[in-house]
Amino acid sequence: MRAALERAEGGDLKAAQWLATLLLGPTPPSLSDIAAAELSGIDPVERKAESLAAEAALAPGFWLDHVNRGEDPDAEDGDDDTPPDGGESSGK
């Protein structure tokens, strides 16, 4: 994640797109949904980041365990969490 963030901040569009998909999902929210969330004080990106952090805190070895077994941890939910370089997650 850190490497992807650094690459995105450095202008790597593929890394930025991967991070956006990870945070917003494969179908980003509509502009009207974003506007409604802003008016209500809800930040959907912050909520997603908090959710991911909570999942990682509850199961710190989850991703690494699956990757080490050659499995896709998100295969069941359809998320594409493949890193921008096409490699496997480092579990970080």
Side-chain angles (χ1 to χ4, degrees):
M1 288 295 288
R2 287 185 185 115
L5 180 58
E6 289 172 10
R7 289 173 57 183
E9 288 175 335
D12 184 330
L13 182 59
K14 191 171 181 179
Q17 289 172 331
W18 179 77
L19 287 169
T21 300
L22 181 66
L23 290 170
L24 300 172
T27 307
S30 68
L31 292 177
S32 61
D33 288 343
I34 293 171
E38 285 179 3
L39 289 172
S40 66
I42 296 170
D43 183 346
V45 174
E46 184 178 330
R47 278 197 172 175
K48 179 66 174 184
E50 289 170 353
S51 172
L52 290 171
E55 288 176 23
L58 292 174
F62 174 79
W63 294 97
L64 187 55
D65 290 344
H66 283 280
V67 170
N68 286 338
R69 290 193 303 260
E71 300 171 355
D72 178 1
D74 285 322
E76 294 176 11
D77 65 10
D79 286 349
D80 181 9
D81 291 339
T82 304
D85 63 2
E88 290 186 10
S89 170
S90 65
K92 294 182 180 178

